[in-house]
């Protein structure tokens, strides 16, 4: 399909493990966003990329969270030494341009459960 | 302070009737955008409707309309002729700061769960 895809869809990790979540944005989309959605809550912003540049990482909750988009397309969100409070759905969104009016298209999310 | 407030955790509506989902927002930025998203149980966020702060008319998209009252800082979503498939979580979101260096991140409310009864 032509939408945003994310993998894996579900991830179970033991506390202390490292995880990597992948996002494939819509082809040609310049902007890429990561959001974290805790159970029963609205998504919360984590970080933003414009092409390969990470322009805003103000939402990353700790230095255990790291995101990259080395070639300006696929992005990976890495969480080191996972904690139980990291359990959430991680949503990726992309938009064609960089302006304010560009609609963000969301992927299906990765549900992370930390035991 | 919460920037987006959705005061209705859950709502019921009878099939074919209209329903209003409330959203109030808080910003000092004169330029902002307001969005509504639908999130079915599958988890994907589906864009429904957009209202810009300078738009003179209320936005409409099919059965969805946005009741934008700027002075009251409210942006309520109206769904007409509800269908069973409308049962889902609905999120109001705001994007502020139309500046060149803005990330244009979305700020979401806590959502309203809508259940359409047959």
């Amino acid at each position: 399909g032509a939408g945003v895809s994310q993998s894996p869809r579900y991830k179970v990790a033991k506390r202390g493990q490292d995880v990597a979540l992948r996002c494939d944005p819509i082809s040609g989309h310049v902007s890429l966003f990561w959001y974290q959605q805790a159970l029963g809550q609205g998504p919360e912003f984590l970080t933003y990329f414009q092409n390969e540049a990470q322009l805003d990482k103000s939402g990353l909750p700790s230095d255990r969270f790291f995101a990259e988009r080395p070639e300006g397309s696929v992005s990976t969100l890495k969480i080191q030494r996972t904690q139980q409070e990291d359990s959430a759905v991680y949503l990726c969104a992309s938009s064609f341009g960089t302006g304010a009016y560009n609609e963000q298209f969301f992927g299906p999310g990765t549900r992370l459960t930390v035991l | 302070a919460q920037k987006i407030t959705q005061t209705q955790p859950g709502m019921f509506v009878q099939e074919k009737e209209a329903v209003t989902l409330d959203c109030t927002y808080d910003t000092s930025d004169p330029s902002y955008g307001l969005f509504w998203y639908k999130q079915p149980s599958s988890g994907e966020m589906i864009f429904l409707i957009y209202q810009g702060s300078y738009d003179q008319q209320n936005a409409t998209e099919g059965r969805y309309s946005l009741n934008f009252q700027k002075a009251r800082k409210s942006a309520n979503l109206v769904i007409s002729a509800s269908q069973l498939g409308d049962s889902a979580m609905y999120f109001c979101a705001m994007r502020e700061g139309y500046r060149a260096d803005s990330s244009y991140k979305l700020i979401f409310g806590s959502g309203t769960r809508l259940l359409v009864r047959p």
Side-chain angles (χ1 to χ4, degrees):
Chain A
V4 178
S5 60
Q6 293 185 244
S7 61
R9 290 294 312 278
Y10 303 90
K11 177 69 179 177
V12 178
K14 292 183 179 178
R15 189 172 54 183
Q17 278 186 330
D18 297 349
V19 298
L21 312 180
R22 176 188 170 104
C23 172
D24 280 88
I26 294 172
S27 178
H29 277 198
V30 169
S31 299
L32 186 145
F33 301 80
W34 283 98
Y35 294 86
Q36 180 190 59
Q37 186 176 20
L39 187 64
Q41 299 297 317
E44 292 192 357
F45 170 78
L46 293 176
T47 187
Y48 163 68
F49 289 87
Q50 183 177 317
N51 295 307
E52 69 279 3
Q54 187 176 20
L55 299 186
D56 187 349
K57 52 182 180 179
S58 62
L60 296 176
S62 77
D63 58 8
R64 295 186 296 104
F65 287 70
F66 172 77
E68 61 183 5
R69 193 186 185 198
E71 297 177 357
S73 55
V74 172
S75 177
T76 303
L77 176 67
K78 298 179 179 178
I79 309 173
Q80 298 177 324
R81 304 181 303 281
T82 53
Q83 305 290 317
Q84 285 189 322
E85 60 263 27
D86 300 335
S87 295
V89 174
Y90 291 85
L91 295 167
C92 176
S94 70
S95 65
F96 178 72
T98 59
Y101 298 98
N102 284 272
E103 178 188 340
Q104 292 183 24
F105 295 85
F106 281 80
T110 294
R111 181 177 297 277
L112 173 65
T113 303
V114 181
L115 303 177
Chain B
Q2 289 216 348
K3 293 215 170 190
I4 297 286
T5 303
Q6 294 181 255
T7 57
Q8 306 153 314
M11 289 279 287
F12 289 97
V13 65
Q14 204 66 32
E15 191 179 8
K16 299 180 185 177
E17 291 185 350
V19 63
T20 298
L21 306 184
D22 294 342
C23 174
T24 58
Y25 60 93
D26 182 26
T27 182
S28 57
D29 209 309
S31 297
Y32 53 89
L34 297 158
F35 302 77
W36 277 91
Y37 282 84
K38 173 183 177 182
Q39 188 176 46
S41 55
S42 59
E44 196 156 350
M45 300 289 281
I46 301 168
F47 167 76
L48 296 178
I49 197 166
Y50 166 82
Q51 179 86 43
S53 59
Y54 293 120
D55 293 344
Q56 294 296 315
Q57 293 188 327
N58 287 347
T60 60
E61 288 287 346
R63 294 186 299 111
Y64 305 108
S65 61
L66 201 151
N67 184 2
F68 181 46
Q69 297 186 43
K70 195 170 182 177
R72 297 179 61 184
K73 294 190 174 178
S74 74
N76 299 340
L77 176 70
V78 180
I79 306 175
S80 63
S82 297
Q83 302 172 356
L84 295 178
D86 294 336
S87 294
M89 283 289 288
Y90 288 81
F91 291 98
C92 179
M94 176 173 66
R95 189 162 58 199
E96 59 186 353
Y98 289 174
R99 302 181 301 272
D101 62 345
S102 175
S103 68
Y104 304 124
K105 65 189 178 192
L106 289 170
I107 302 166
F108 287 86
S110 56
T112 296
R113 182 172 297 280
L114 178 66
L115 186 60
V116 181
R117 290 170 165 154

